[in-house]
Amino acid sequence: MAEMTPEQQQALAIAAARLRLQRQPQQQPQGLPADDAISVARTGVGGLIEGIPIVGPMIRGGTERAAAATLAAFSDETYDQVMDRIHEANRAEKEANPIVDKGAQITGAVAGTIPAVMAAPAAFGAGSGSLLLRSGISGLTGATIGGADAGVRSGGDAEKIKEGIYWGGLFGLGGPVAGKVIGAGARSLVDALRTRAAARMAGMEPQAFGYFRRAVTDDGLDASTLPRKLMEMGPDAIPADLGPNLQKQAGALAATPGPAQTTIRTTLADRAAGANARIGQTIDETTGRNVVPSEIQADIAVNQNAHSPLYREAFREAAPYSTEPIASALEADISRLRGPAQARLRQVRDMLNIADSNVLSTDPGVMFQTRQAIDGLLKTEVDPKVISALVEARQMLDDGLTRAVPRIKEIDAGYSELARQDEAVTRGQQVLDSGRTAPRPSELAAEVEQGVQPQGMQIGPSAVPLRLSQGARAEIDRIVGTNSNDIAAMNKLIKGEGDWNRARLATLFGPEKAVRLFKVLDNESIYADTANTVTRNSETAARLAAQSELGGGNGGNFGVKEAFKAGGFLGAARSAAVDKVDDIVKALMSSGTGNATRESLARALIGEQREKLVEGLTRAKGMGTTPALVDPVVKALLLNGGTARTR
């Protein structure tokens, strides 16, 4: 007993019970139908085993033979006598419970075939290829199983085998078609149930939820990507921003009078009205408060003028200084140079004389004023030879002033720092330019790095980088102010065509702030596109509806046939996809779709109760797919419907 399989042990127990019953005629009179609960149970268990295709009869026969041999060994009956009683008991129970027997055999056959269908789906017509090819493969598999099963059950009867091949092949041939048809029906039924449950969870009308889910799917979104996309686009994003199919539905609702139209249009209008405020707040948070360049430069000029008393005090302590060496060096350069450079140096040499004379001045103040004049000339000079000559002359004067007025370099450092800041404000306003005056990102980075370094006797870092950022901030404010009604233009001017503006702003304000600013600009551009698309689509839809109502809407249809003529198979496919979306748009605008459905969809498209929408979409996962066991069960039923005819 310990070496027997569970099936053999079960068959032995069944046979032993039958023998006990046969030895108690007072409890089971001879000839009485075996329809009691125990007999029904035995009929069912035996039918399940026997119904397994091909191997079922062998499994049942083997366990019964093992049971008979075991019982004969422990009784005074022979093996054949025990087998006869088992067979007689089986016959009697089957006759008494035909429905149970047939149902159990069918169940066993289907249950025994399903694993084979799932293990080798291609052999049962579930692989790739045309329907005709898959049907042929399934028919061949069915014929093989039918013939083998008939051969086992008939003891090798050729006629039965032939009949099994015929019926098995015939029913197997129809497996792929039946699986497709029944699968579609099962899919539709399951989808309808799922839609209702998911719609309840999403707080939507079932029809509206179906429309919404369809657009979400067609736009390549699902329950996991939709909330992530909305989060990336900011707190003001709505589902209608996420794809063309969602936008088309919003456009249809915006064109249809009723509460849904009000919901869509009001939401988009309110959001558009707050665009400038949102952009302004982000700009303030990422680039600092707004400044007016002229005001900053005016303050710088005031601070520079405040150095005048310091210069006067320093020159009171200065002693006379001979400029003869400087004048001689200038005269030597004048005699050597020609053209504009010679003329400029002669002009500088004359500045060193006492006014209206040819006598050199020894007043350090004259050297100072000459140096200032050279600075003025350098601001407008473009000739490199002239610039070189003037710079050299200025350096000689600067060296002389340092010796003549010891404190002047301290005062020069403060004045020079203010001058650098003034230039940086102007330079910052060129950062977002696209012309030749705009610095390359690498050039701006170098200017910032060099600008922060103190010059001369200045103590501490320079404010040049701050002034550069203030100039850029002022330019951003100018762009926003002049394009407040055109988000696309504003976005283009601030972001530029390539990545240079992003890199420049990252240098001035930091990478994180630059990324945040550009992200908000991108989002606002998407918001504006959604409003324009929905409005444009709704107006077009309204015109088409009016045209159709007036009898002029049927003459210009461009259908799949026309698309095929124009663009071949791809054109036809695109046309079919567009027509599919347009069918939903027409349905939303038709009188057949109630206001409640349209309003429910409108609220979903503007993102009300986002958490519930996500829960509903999560619940709807798997829609559009046939339940896993439908195809194997259908094919198992068909195959065993054929083999059953030979049993």
Side-chain angles (χ1 to χ4, degrees):
M1 290 288 288
E3 297 178 355
M4 295 176 66
T5 64
E7 291 82 1
Q8 291 173 332
Q9 293 176 12
Q10 185 180 34
L12 177 60
I14 293 172
R18 286 175 179 159
L19 288 174
R20 285 195 299 273
L21 289 173
Q22 289 175 358
R23 290 177 179 176
Q24 298 176 4
Q26 70 279 8
Q27 297 178 11
Q28 182 76 34
Q30 190 69 22
L32 187 66
D35 57 357
D36 58 285
I38 295 177
S39 296
V40 171
R42 281 198 300 265
T43 302
V45 173
L48 284 172
I49 298 173
E50 188 176 346
I52 299 174
I54 303 175
V55 298
M58 292 186 288
I59 294 174
R60 183 167 186 178
T63 55
E64 288 178 349
R65 286 191 293 274
T70 304
L71 290 172
F74 292 96
S75 68
D76 55 357
E77 293 181 290
T78 65
Y79 171 81
D80 290 337
Q81 289 175 329
V82 176
M83 282 299 299
D84 289 341
R85 277 201 299 273
I86 291 175
H87 290 158
E88 179 61 25
N90 288 343
R91 183 194 60 76
E93 288 175 348
K94 286 185 178 184
E95 290 179 355
N97 307 287
I99 297 177
V100 174
D101 179 55
K102 181 60 70 173
Q105 290 211 34
I106 292 174
T107 303
V110 173
T113 308
I114 287 176
V117 177
M118 298 181 71
F124 294 87
S128 59
S130 65
L131 181 61
L132 181 61
L133 175 62
R134 290 187 286 111
S135 297
I137 295 173
S138 178
L140 182 61
T141 303
T144 303
I145 294 175
D149 186 71
V152 170
R153 295 178 189 276
S154 66
D157 188 323
E159 287 299 323
K160 289 290 186 181
I161 293 174
K162 181 179 178 181
E163 187 180 355
I165 292 173
Y166 174 79
W167 289 109
L170 182 63
F171 278 82
L173 192 67
V177 175
K180 186 175 182 180
V181 173
I182 297 175
R187 181 170 61 250
S188 298
L189 177 60
V190 172
D191 282 355
L193 296 174
R194 283 177 175 169
T195 298
R196 284 194 163 279
R200 273 197 310 272
M201 188 168 288
M204 295 180 64
E205 291 283 328
Q207 187 179 15
F209 179 79
Y211 289 149
F212 179 74
R213 181 192 163 278
R214 164 74 179 279
V216 167
T217 303
D218 289 347
D219 284 332
L221 304 168
D222 56 29
S224 60
T225 56
L226 186 140
R228 177 171 57 81
K229 290 283 187 182
L230 289 174
M231 185 178 297
E232 290 175 357
M233 291 177 61
D236 295 285
I238 60 177
D241 295 318
L242 302 182
N245 292 284
L246 290 163
Q247 288 179 355
K248 273 200 170 187
Q249 290 186 358
L253 295 175
T256 307
Q261 182 186 65
T262 303
T263 298
I264 295 291
R265 288 183 174 273
T266 301
T267 299
L268 294 178
D270 290 346
R271 186 172 68 172
N276 289 331
R278 291 190 297 271
I279 292 174
Q281 180 180 356
T282 302
I283 291 174
D284 287 343
E285 292 173 354
T286 54
T287 63
R289 67 179 182 84
N290 182 38
V291 295
V292 179
S294 60
E295 294 178 357
I296 294 177
Q297 291 174 317
D299 290 341
I300 291 174
V302 169
N303 291 330
Q304 283 181 317
N305 292 333
H307 283 70
S308 297
L310 299 177
Y311 278 115
R312 285 194 295 271
E313 182 66 25
F315 278 100
R316 284 196 192 98
E317 301 173 0
Y321 184 81
S322 174
T323 58
E324 181 64 33
I326 298 174
S328 298
L330 289 174
E331 290 170 356
D333 288 339
I334 291 170
S335 64
R336 177 176 53 83
L337 294 172
R338 295 293 182 275
Q342 183 187 55
R344 284 299 187 190
L345 281 187
R346 185 176 287 116
Q347 183 180 2
V348 171
R349 168 63 186 83
D350 292 342
M351 293 179 187
L352 294 176
N353 293 334
I354 298 173
D356 300 325
S357 72
N358 291 324
V359 180
L360 281 172
S361 173
T362 59
D363 184 1
V366 172
M367 281 196 298
F368 178 76
Q369 293 299 327
T370 303
R371 189 185 71 175
Q372 295 291 87
I374 293 175
D375 288 339
L377 294 174
L378 286 171
K379 287 182 179 180
T380 58
E381 188 57 62
V382 295
D383 189 328
K385 289 186 177 181
V386 176
I387 292 174
S388 177
L390 290 175
V391 167
E392 185 177 353
R394 187 189 188 286
Q395 185 61 51
M396 288 188 293
L397 290 169
D398 192 67
D399 292 341
L401 282 170
T402 301
R403 289 189 290 271
V405 187
R407 290 181 51 208
I408 196 170
K409 299 309 293 181
E410 298 177 14
I411 306 170
D412 279 347
Y415 189 92
S416 177
E417 165 64 14
L418 292 171
R420 291 174 66 203
Q421 291 182 27
D422 183 79
E423 293 175 359
V425 172
T426 301
R427 182 61 164 166
Q429 296 174 72
Q430 300 172 345
V431 165
L432 299 180
D433 289 351
S434 58
R436 293 182 178 180
T437 58
R440 289 172 170 79
S442 58
E443 292 173 336
L444 181 62
E447 290 180 22
V448 171
E449 184 177 357
Q450 182 181 0
V452 75
Q453 303 299 326
Q455 293 187 358
M457 299 185 68
Q458 178 187 349
I459 299 174
S462 171
V464 165
L466 171 64
R467 299 306 187 188
L468 283 169
S469 65
Q470 287 179 326
R473 171 65 179 87
E475 179 63 10
I476 291 174
D477 184 67
R478 186 193 67 80
I479 292 173
V480 172
T482 55
N483 296 276
S484 58
N485 295 323
D486 191 344
I487 300 297
M490 181 193 307
N491 196 8
K492 182 178 180 180
L493 288 171
I494 295 177
K495 292 179 59 179
E497 294 293 340
D499 293 332
W500 280 18
N501 281 5
R502 182 189 297 269
R504 292 161 175 164
L505 293 179
T507 297
L508 295 178
F509 304 106
E512 292 183 1
K513 291 182 177 180
V515 168
R516 181 186 170 196
L517 174 59
F518 276 45
K519 184 61 178 175
V520 169
L521 290 172
D522 285 338
N523 292 342
E524 292 296 337
S525 180
I526 292 173
Y527 299 165
D529 286 343
T530 297
N532 292 336
T533 300
V534 168
T535 302
R536 183 173 64 250
N537 281 352
S538 64
E539 297 301 335
T540 301
R543 286 195 297 271
L544 290 175
Q547 183 183 11
S548 178
E549 184 178 0
L550 294 173
N554 297 323
N557 289 342
F558 187 86
V560 175
K561 182 173 71 173
E562 290 77 12
F564 178 80
K565 292 177 181 178
F569 287 106
L570 290 178
R574 285 192 295 268
S575 176
V578 171
D579 288 345
K580 211 172 182 183
V581 176
D582 288 343
D583 287 342
I584 294 179
V585 172
K586 291 175 183 176
L588 288 172
M589 298 178 66
S590 70
S591 58
T593 301
N595 282 334
T597 297
R598 284 192 283 261
E599 175 66 5
S600 178
L601 178 59
R603 296 195 176 280
L605 290 170
I606 65 171
E608 282 193 3
Q609 297 181 317
R610 294 185 185 184
E611 295 78 8
K612 287 189 174 182
L613 285 177
V614 173
E615 291 175 2
L617 291 173
T618 303
R619 181 66 178 272
K621 278 185 176 180
M623 287 180 63
T625 58
T626 304
L629 287 176
V630 169
D631 191 59
V633 169
V634 170
K635 291 175 179 176
L637 282 169
L638 279 174
L639 283 173
N640 290 285
T643 57
R645 299 182 69 90
T646 63
R647 298 182 183 179

